[in-house]
Amino acid sequence: MTDHPSTGPADTTPTDGDTARRLLGRRALLAGAGGAATLAATGLVSGSGAVARPVAGLPAATAPTPLALLRRMISFDTQNFGEGGKTRAHAQWLRGVWDAAGVRSEIIPTPQPDNVHLIARIKGTTSARPLLLLGHSDVVPVERENWSVDPFAAVVKGGEIYGRGALDMKGANAASIAGLLRHVQEGHRFERDIIVLTDCDEEAGSYGSGWLAEKHWDKLDAGMVLTEGGWFLAQSNGTTPMLVTVTRQDKVYFNLDLYASGTATHSSKPIPDNAIVSLSRAVADIGDDLAPVHLTKVTREYFAALARATDDRRFANAIRLMLGTRSTKVRERAAALVVRYSDYPYLHSALLRTTTAFVIEDAGYKENVIPSEAHVRVNCRGIPGGEKPRDFVARLRRTLRGKDIEVRLGAPEGVSEADYLDQLDETWATAPASLDTPLYDAIERAAKRTYPKAVFSPALFEAGTSLGPWRERGIPGYGVYPYVIDNDQLIGMHGNDERIYVEALERGTDFMYRVFDGFRA
């Protein structure tokens, strides 16, 4: 038992925002320099009192800048090592931000200490089903020794802001919340409720969106959901917007465990029957063997848009060849050219096939003992409508036949492999979110207004999100990371020196402002 029961009341702990509101009141927040003072009191702006850059043609607002929000978000160490992150301090601060803007919010504790969700709700003018904005506050762990800066200091240098979560996804949260607050500060009303869920346990843990939906669905019931996902890609110069995407489908996530066995013996007399050597050979074989290319309606539309968007003629021609051929051999060769010519090769390779990533390896326990077993975990992501996970697993087992490697599907505890493959089949067959919704229309309009020279397209997300509870109920969910990135920044996601451009964050806030503008009353 813990002191944070799942069925307990919402957190009512006083926050810095509560104090600021009592001392200065909401009017001060809305009144020029007084508003800036209020924001400074809640830790939202720098010492210069900087305020949000307004959208062209709109009046200036005193909403916090996205950079100020993001720097504060990064400063909270919400690392999730696999059992959930400690998000309470972050949630209490953000609750103060909502309080200062006059928006009601509540903290939902989970059974794990200091692991909480935060839900804010901006009331609309009609009973239309709400729009839910879903963003996670937990982040993956850091390897501090491999960072060039403190990963929680939110250092700005060379026009980029560094920090764990800068890209995934505190940056998206900052842009979205800054855009919403700008509307609130300007006195705008929305034609439906807008719910902002800042959840925990997205990266791992037992109390994420699934747990929250089971316990508090009445707080989350919505008609559409927007979360992390689609990438805003740049031309070869790394900054000019090229392709703006919104994801309507995630790849299918599953794990495999590979085991090799050998003879345990004294390390002074090595023998050929070595588990580590056998496993290493198997890993090398799989690592060199790309899964076949599978194009679906969703990925065909994406790559066709990419061919129109790029200013690299070789890249565009390779894409068109890949899309136009009926020959499997020609398609594979063209796909190899697509990846070679792409400025985002790892992203585009992942959108073409089932991927395998070797993520955890363990073997041995003492330096003078050759162990009898070695293990590696393989994280896999399949394309919905492409190669079925069961077919991929069967093909992998054929590849490793005769190598004395056992392949186990990483099914949840108590679930058989057969039943888990059936579950994966259902996920694989889930239809992408509809393109005929007010949210998709708002995203498309915002993209064309904010990035008029870029091509807009729906897409497949190569990773996963917290959208499961809504998708299970047939509620359409979409994803965007609302800032233009280059390939080095993309590699920094879950890696070292994670960062995004400050200017891209500001422009991404304009984009999110315009998305919400589509729901003005």
Side-chain angles (χ1 to χ4, degrees), residues 174-185:
S176 300
I177 292 172
L180 264 179
L181 288 176
R182 192 182 300 172
H183 277 291
V184 172
Q185 304 289 330

Side-chain angles (χ1 to χ4, degrees), residues 65-332:
T65 69
L67 180 60
L69 283 173
L70 179 53
R71 295 190 73 174
R72 194 73 176 95
M73 290 175 179
I74 289 172
S75 73
F76 292 97
D77 183 346
T78 55
Q79 292 179 89
N80 186 334
F81 292 89
E83 297 298 329
K86 293 187 179 299
T87 60
R88 178 177 291 275
H90 178 281
Q92 289 176 333
W93 161 76
L94 187 53
R95 187 183 182 199
V97 174
W98 290 120
D99 285 351
V103 176
R104 296 188 61 182
S105 64
E106 61 178 327
I107 289 174
I108 308 295
T110 75
Q112 183 170 315
D114 294 325
N115 187 31
V116 306
H117 300 274
L118 176 67
I119 301 175
R121 194 174 192 117
I122 301 173
K123 296 298 292 182
T125 60
T126 75
S127 59
R129 296 192 69 191
L131 164 64
L132 188 143
L133 186 68
L134 171 61
H136 62 86
S137 58
D138 60 326
V139 296
V140 297
V142 298
E143 298 173 329
R144 287 178 182 265
E145 67 277 11
N146 294 325
W147 282 65
S148 65
V149 297
D150 181 342
F152 299 103
V155 173
V156 176
K157 64 175 183 176
E160 297 174 290
I161 176 168
Y162 288 66
R164 175 57 86 220
L167 190 157
D168 178 24
M169 69 170 293
K170 290 178 177 178
N173 294 344
S176 300
I177 292 172
L180 264 179
L181 288 176
R182 192 182 300 172
H183 277 291
V184 172
Q185 304 289 330
E186 292 169 354
H188 298 158
R189 301 290 303 279
F190 298 106
E191 49 86 26
R192 66 185 68 213
D193 288 7
I194 295 183
I195 305 168
V196 184
L197 167 59
T198 309
D199 72 335
C200 59
D201 286 15
E202 192 277 340
E203 300 293 357
S206 302
Y207 304 107
S209 62
W211 174 88
L212 188 62
E214 180 183 350
K215 300 293 184 182
H216 301 282
W217 179 248
D218 60 311
K219 302 178 187 295
L220 309 176
D221 191 4
M224 302 157 289
V225 186
L226 180 60
T227 188
E228 60 189 328
W231 298 110
F232 293 11
L233 303 184
Q235 298 285 7
S236 297
N237 62 13
T239 56
T240 301
M242 171 182 68
L243 182 69
V244 174
T245 68
V246 53
T247 45
R248 54 192 296 228
Q249 195 174 37
D250 297 348
K251 290 186 79 174
V252 183
Y253 181 109
F254 60 100
N255 289 310
L256 298 176
D257 290 292
L258 309 185
Y259 292 89
S261 299
T263 300
T265 186
H266 198 287
S267 63
S268 63
K269 297 178 288 298
I271 60 178
D273 182 20
N274 186 301
I276 295 176
V277 172
S278 297
L279 184 64
S280 298
R281 287 173 177 158
V283 167
D285 287 345
I286 299 170
D288 292 336
D289 183 25
L290 288 175
V293 171
H294 281 269
L295 294 169
T296 67
K297 182 178 179 180
V298 173
T299 56
R300 280 184 174 278
E301 185 172 9
Y302 170 84
F303 279 104
L306 183 59
R308 297 194 306 273
T310 180
D311 58 11
D312 184 333
R313 183 174 299 178
R314 295 182 311 167
F315 186 37
N317 288 338
I319 293 172
R320 293 187 178 110
L321 177 60
M322 179 183 72
L323 296 177
T325 184
R326 295 184 178 182
S327 166
T328 300
K329 289 184 178 180
V330 174
R331 184 181 303 114
E332 292 290 343

